[in-house]
């Protein structure tokens, strides 16, 4: 896993020094080695995290004739099998690296080569024969890729901060993107938090030639054809496919591989597979919290005892989250509405300090196999809508969120009102997500007049609706909810702000067996009745897991990963901010300078936080969203990418 960067210019040679600066800004992603190569109109750069063929996999890598060059971030897990096929077709390999397999697959099949890969990737290939740049991103958006136009050329990189180092690329927060985050929790590709900077969407490829950019989708999940086989048959196939996916990701590495272990079902399944079907010892890593409301250490210990792994943990206090938050936002490169990325940042540091570069994780299971509360909630809301006058049915929602004290304290009338399914809501393509999105959308009350003016005429839902696949309306409601999670929130937040950016901040590669494209395709065919049986989430996965996991996990309800929010930044006992940078960024001077938020509204919220009165979900998200946006503006716009407030505080 690595960081990539580059520039293509058809109006003269690209700026080599600028590309070198871009690569330097990606050093955290690839601390082992750097390389830059200029070939004609293209300059390709690479910051390497050496995992496969450390001695021979140096990048950028060129083909034998020197006309075709690649810079690659990711892993092709079936590179061994592809190498055999390519050798039969006459290709002679100089290295053992998957990078060379990818390059030669392109030479053999052109842009269609991506259909052959089982992996996670973002790469760019300069083909000097046709004077074109070909770039691609993996099917489900595990690895990031951004680009922007500069003059008549194109600049690309794994992270936005590298793009902003190239001459002529402007630094400006995109307020439409901010509004998307403060509704959907993520931007909608190709839009990013920065005006003029685009994200290559998951499952898409790009060609830049003759000054024009052309993109297309090479992969899309389709829930149209549900599988009619028995529960036993589907469980057996899921188990076999997951075993192969986990073994590939564990064994195809020339460095030690660890695993995250949360105490929940998904990470336990992956860890259980490795323990059962490989002979290698396994080290696992987890976050524990000082605050009992968020802590899962008891469940983690039970899983550790059952699996017999060498376990390590990082203890996270509220102030640890606040202290690391400026660096978290620097790496996330977009506003966030939760502090959950911060403990993952601290966890990846533990992994690296323990001598590991690679970890397996259970991410993707909830989205693909029906694990989130949003799926249960939508099912209950539809059940309530069948008897709108019932006073009892809406009370089922209270049982969905036993871990959220604020919901448990709300009166019955509030629950009926908040989760009410109006007739027009039932017709919405976003029915499953409307309560969550509308709650986040309330953060608009903190916008400044300038921001409101910039958003006039913008409609987040309308833009999202225009992107939906043609067959979306014909899918089962449960599948529509899965698609929204998998297509948007998972790559835009879970795998990015909370995933790739936090692990790669310390040079740690995450690998995701549940996001093997074979697992994803199978999951899209599983009937909803087997994904969630009544309200038993991930029912089929539990059947498939069998004795790989401790028995209590078959019965344990899903507990979402959460972290302290207001307490991370404010000490209620002292009625003060924990860090000087918090007061600075929420000051009237800084708020007026950014112009994004209303000074008076933010001041009232900050005062509530100082007095320990921020207890609701909206205020907690508001505080995190405002601080992260102000940090983003301060670091990237006001101070042009220099590390200032909060660094080392």
């Amino acid at each position: 896993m690595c960081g990539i960067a580059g520039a293509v210019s058809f109006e003269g040679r690209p700026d080599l020094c600028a590309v070198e600066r871009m690569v330097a800004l990606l050093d955290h992603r690839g601390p082992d080695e750097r390389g830059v190569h200029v070939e004609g109109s293209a300059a390709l750069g690479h910051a390497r995290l050496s995992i496969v063929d450390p001695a021979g996999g140096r990048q950028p890598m060129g083909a034998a004739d020197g006309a075709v060059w690649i810079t690659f971030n990711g892993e092709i897990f079936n590179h061994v099998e592809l190498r055999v096929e390519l050798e039969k077709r006459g290709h002679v390999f100089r290295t053992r690296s998957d990078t060379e397999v990818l390059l030669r697959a392109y030479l053999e099949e052109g842009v269609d080569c991506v259909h052959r890969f089982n992996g996670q990737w973002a790469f760019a290939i300069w083909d000097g024969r046709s004077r074109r740049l070909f770039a691609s991103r993996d099917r489900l958006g595990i690895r990031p890729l951004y680009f922007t136009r500069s003059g008549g050329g194109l600049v690309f990189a794994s992270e936005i901060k590298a793009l902003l180092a190239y001459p002529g690329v402007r630094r400006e927060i995109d307020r439409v993107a901010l509004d998307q985050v403060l509704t959907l929790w993520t931007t909608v590709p190709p839009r990013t938090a920065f005006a003029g900077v685009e994200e290559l969407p998951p499952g898409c490829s790009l060609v830049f030639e003759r000054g024009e950019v052309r993109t297309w989708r090479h992969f899309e999940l389709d829930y149209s054809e549900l599988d009619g086989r028995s529960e036993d048959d589907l469980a057996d196939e899921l188990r076999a496919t997951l075993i192969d996916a986990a073994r590939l990701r564990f064994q195809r590495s020339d460095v030690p591989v660890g695993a995250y272990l949360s105490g929940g079902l998904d990470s336990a399944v992956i860890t259980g597979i490795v323990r059962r079907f490989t002979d290698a010892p396994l080290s696992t890593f987890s976050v524990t919290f000082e605050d009992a409301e968020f802590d899962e250490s008891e469940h983690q210990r039970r899983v550790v005892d059952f699996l017999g792994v060498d376990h390590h943990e990082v203890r996270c206090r509220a102030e640890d989250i606040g202290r690391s938050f400026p660096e978290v936002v620097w790496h996330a490169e977009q506003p966030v509405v939760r502090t959950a990325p911060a403990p993952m940042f601290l966890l990846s540091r533990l992994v690296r300090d323990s001598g590991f570069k690679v970890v397996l994780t259970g991410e993707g299971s909830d989205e693909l196999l029906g694990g989130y509360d949003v799926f249960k909630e939508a099912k209950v809301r539809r059940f309530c809508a069948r008897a709108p006058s019932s006073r009892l049915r809406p009370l089922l929602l209270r049982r969905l969120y036993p871990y959220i004290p604020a919901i448990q304290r709300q009166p019955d009338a509030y629950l009926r009102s908040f989760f009410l399914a109006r007739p027009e809501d039932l017709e919405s393509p976003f029915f499953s997500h409307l309560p969550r999105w509308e709650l986040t959308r309330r953060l608009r009350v903190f916008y400044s007049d300038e921001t409101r003016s910039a958003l006039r005429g913008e409609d987040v839902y309308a833009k999202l609706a225009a992107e939906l696949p043609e067959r979306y309306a014909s899918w089962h409601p449960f599948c529509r909810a899965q698609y929204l999670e998998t297509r948007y929130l998972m790559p835009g937040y879970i795998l990015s702000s909370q995933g790739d950016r936090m692990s790669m901040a310390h040079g740690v590669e995450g690998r995701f067996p549940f996001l093997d494209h074979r697992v994803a395709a199978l999951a899209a065919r599983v009937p909803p009745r087997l994904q969630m049986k009544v309200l038993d989430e991930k029912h089929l996965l539990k059947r498939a897991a069998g004795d790989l996991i401790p028995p209590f996990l078959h019965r344990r309800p899903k507990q979402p990963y959460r972290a302290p929010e207001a307490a991370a930044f404010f000490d209620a006992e002292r009625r003060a901010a924990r860090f000087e940078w918090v007061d600075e960024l929420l000051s009237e001077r800084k708020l007026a300078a950014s112009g994004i938020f209303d000074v008076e509204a933010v001041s009232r919220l900050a005062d509530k936080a100082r007095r320990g009165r921020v207890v609701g979900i909206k205020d907690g998200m508001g505080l995190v969203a405002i601080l992260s946006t102000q940090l983003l503006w301060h670091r990237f716009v006001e101070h042009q990418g220099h590390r200032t407030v909060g660094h080392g505080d």
Side-chain angles (χ1 to χ4, degrees):
M1 201 53 56
C2 313
I4 66 174
V8 176
S9 173
F10 295 115
E11 300 175 356
R13 292 177 68 81
D15 190 329
L16 175 61
C17 292
V19 174
E20 289 176 338
R21 290 195 299 271
M22 294 169 70
V23 173
L25 281 167
L26 299 174
D27 188 65
H28 51 278
R29 296 186 69 91
D32 296 334
E33 195 173 30
R34 292 186 198 173
V36 176
H37 179 81
V38 177
E39 186 66 38
S41 300
L44 304 184
H46 194 262
R48 188 182 184 206
L49 183 65
S50 53
I51 293 172
V52 175
D53 191 9
R58 185 174 291 111
Q59 296 188 52
M61 181 180 289
D65 62 1
V68 182
W69 287 79
I70 184 172
T71 183
F72 165 45
N73 166 29
E75 304 288 351
I76 305 301
F77 297 115
N78 63 333
H79 69 94
V80 174
E81 293 78 11
L82 288 175
R83 178 187 299 267
V84 173
E85 293 183 27
L86 290 165
E87 285 176 336
K88 290 178 179 178
R89 298 182 186 183
H91 290 268
V92 178
F93 287 83
R94 296 171 292 168
T95 73
R96 295 187 299 104
S97 71
D98 56 341
T99 304
E100 187 177 8
V101 172
L102 195 165
L103 181 59
R104 291 185 175 278
Y106 169 77
L107 293 173
E108 182 71 26
E109 301 186 34
V111 299
D112 290 333
C113 65
V114 296
H115 299 294
R116 305 293 306 281
F117 301 149
N118 181 339
Q120 48 195 52
W121 70 81
F123 65 78
I125 294 175
W126 171 250
D127 192 334
R129 303 167 305 182
S130 55
R131 286 174 51 81
R132 74 174 183 182
L133 182 81
F134 168 52
S136 183
R137 190 174 176 203
D138 62 68
R139 296 174 179 87
L140 295 168
I142 298 171
R143 297 303 162 209
L145 188 60
Y146 300 93
F147 64 94
T148 189
R149 301 298 298 267
S150 179
L154 182 130
V155 188
F156 65 87
S158 295
E159 297 185 9
I160 295 172
K161 60 179 66 67
L163 290 181
L164 298 180
Y166 200 85
V169 178
R170 61 182 172 139
R171 298 168 176 268
E172 179 185 340
I173 300 295
D174 186 330
R175 295 175 199 243
V176 174
L178 172 66
D179 194 47
Q180 291 177 347
V181 174
L182 270 58
T183 300
L184 312 173
W185 294 32
T186 178
T187 58
V188 179
R191 193 178 290 273
T192 71
F194 293 87
V197 174
E198 297 186 51
E199 174 186 1
L200 185 63
C204 287
S205 295
L206 171 155
V207 160
F208 178 60
E209 58 185 336
R210 292 187 288 276
E212 298 295 328
V213 175
R214 177 172 61 90
T215 63
W216 69 94
R217 182 164 294 283
H218 62 75
F219 177 80
E220 182 77 280
L221 282 172
D222 188 352
Y223 297 86
S224 298
E225 298 181 10
L226 299 180
D227 201 311
R229 287 179 295 163
S230 71
E231 182 176 325
D232 287 343
D233 286 348
L234 286 169
D236 288 345
E237 183 179 354
L238 178 59
R239 181 184 175 99
T241 310
L242 268 176
I243 289 170
D244 190 56
R247 289 174 64 182
L248 270 179
R249 283 155 180 78
F250 184 75
Q251 295 174 332
R252 298 265 161 105
S253 170
D254 292 329
V255 299
V257 179
Y260 284 162
L261 194 62
S262 69
L265 173 67
D266 309 327
S267 60
V269 168
I270 300 306
T271 306
I273 289 172
V274 172
R275 293 295 289 140
R276 177 73 62 85
F277 297 102
T278 72
D279 297 326
L282 181 63
S283 293
T284 56
F285 302 87
S286 69
V287 173
T288 65
F289 290 96
E290 186 177 66
D291 189 329
E293 180 182 341
F294 308 100
D295 188 54
E296 295 187 73
S297 57
E298 176 189 348
H299 305 294
Q300 291 165 7
R301 283 191 292 270
R302 294 176 70 180
V303 178
V304 166
D305 291 343
F306 180 85
L307 295 174
V309 293
D310 178 25
H311 191 61
H312 312 260
E313 62 184 43
V314 58
R315 188 74 168 170
C316 188
R317 302 170 301 167
E319 54 264 40
D320 297 328
I321 292 173
R323 185 173 293 107
S324 64
F325 200 66
E327 288 301 291
V328 166
V329 174
W330 166 255
H331 287 287
E333 299 184 326
Q334 75 173 26
V336 293
V337 298
R338 292 293 198 200
T339 56
M344 302 307 296
F345 175 85
L346 299 174
L347 180 61
S348 68
R349 184 169 67 192
L350 171 66
V351 172
R352 187 68 190 210
D353 289 347
S354 301
F356 287 81
K357 295 181 180 181
V358 184
V359 288
L360 304 182
T361 93
E363 299 291 4
S365 172
D366 287 314
E367 293 84 356
L368 293 169
L369 293 164
Y372 284 134
D373 287 332
V374 70
F375 302 126
K376 285 196 284 190
E377 179 189 294
K379 194 170 185 177
V380 172
R381 288 173 61 226
R382 288 188 181 275
F383 174 69
C384 294
R386 297 191 196 117
S389 61
S390 171
R391 299 179 60 85
L392 297 177
R393 290 191 178 199
L395 300 185
L396 288 170
L397 291 155
R398 196 187 300 277
R399 297 174 56 187
L400 299 180
Y401 302 100
Y403 51 84
I404 302 180
I407 285 186
Q408 301 306 310
R409 290 193 296 265
Q410 295 295 340
D412 295 349
Y414 173 85
L415 290 179
R416 287 195 298 273
S417 173
F418 183 83
F419 293 108
L420 179 66
R422 300 165 298 183
E424 59 268 30
D425 293 339
L426 288 168
E427 299 302 317
S428 170
F430 311 123
F431 171 82
S432 56
H433 286 65
L434 284 179
R436 175 196 291 180
W437 290 351
E438 285 299 299
L439 176 62
T440 313
R441 198 170 175 81
R442 293 182 189 177
L443 302 184
R444 283 182 155 209
V445 300
F446 297 110
Y447 288 168
S448 66
D449 290 340
E450 182 182 343
T451 298
R452 294 178 191 278
S453 177
L455 296 175
R456 191 167 294 121
E458 294 288 340
D459 187 332
V460 173
Y461 294 148
K463 286 190 174 181
L464 198 61
E467 284 202 347
L468 298 175
E470 289 183 9
R471 289 183 282 187
Y472 179 88
S474 67
W475 295 345
H476 189 284
F478 191 92
C479 298
R480 295 201 292 265
Q482 286 179 292
Y483 178 85
L484 295 176
E485 286 289 317
T486 305
R487 177 67 180 85
Y488 297 104
L489 191 74
M490 185 178 75
Y493 174 71
I494 300 295
L495 295 177
S496 178
S497 297
Q498 195 169 293
D500 173 90
R501 302 317 170 72
M502 297 305 106
S503 64
M504 292 302 288
H506 298 291
V508 173
E509 173 185 289
R511 294 184 173 184
F512 310 87
F514 282 105
L515 297 182
D516 185 300
H517 69 283
R518 299 168 301 169
V519 176
L522 171 61
R525 300 197 310 271
V526 174
R529 62 181 175 80
L530 298 181
Q531 303 232 26
M532 179 174 289
K533 207 159 194 178
V534 189
L535 293 180
D536 177 29
E537 74 273 4
K538 288 185 287 196
H539 173 78
L540 191 70
L541 177 60
K542 293 173 184 175
R543 285 291 306 273
D547 59 356
L548 293 173
I549 60 175
F552 84 92
L553 283 180
H554 287 272
R555 303 182 301 272
R556 187 191 174 203
K558 166 75 176 176
Q559 179 175 331
Y561 163 61
R562 299 159 56 238
E565 292 171 347
F569 308 107
F570 289 91
D571 185 335
E573 290 186 7
R574 295 191 301 113
R575 295 201 169 196
R578 293 187 185 275
F579 311 97
E580 290 184 6
W581 65 264
V582 173
D583 279 335
E584 180 182 350
L585 291 182
L586 297 184
S587 69
E588 181 177 347
R589 179 177 63 87
K590 286 290 188 179
L591 289 166
S594 72
I596 298 170
F597 298 108
D598 180 79
V599 175
E600 291 186 7
V602 173
S603 296
R604 288 193 296 270
L605 178 62
D607 185 59
K608 288 176 68 174
R610 289 187 185 93
R611 292 183 289 118
R613 300 290 300 276
V614 171
V615 294
I617 296 173
K618 188 200 79 173
D619 281 351
M621 288 195 302
L623 185 63
V624 176
I626 292 165
L627 279 171
S628 61
T629 305
Q630 285 290 100
L631 278 165
L632 201 71
W633 167 81
H634 174 84
R635 184 71 71 85
F636 286 92
V637 179
E638 184 184 33
H639 286 277
Q640 302 291 296
H642 297 297
R643 298 187 177 209
T644 52
V645 300
H647 183 56
D649 190 351

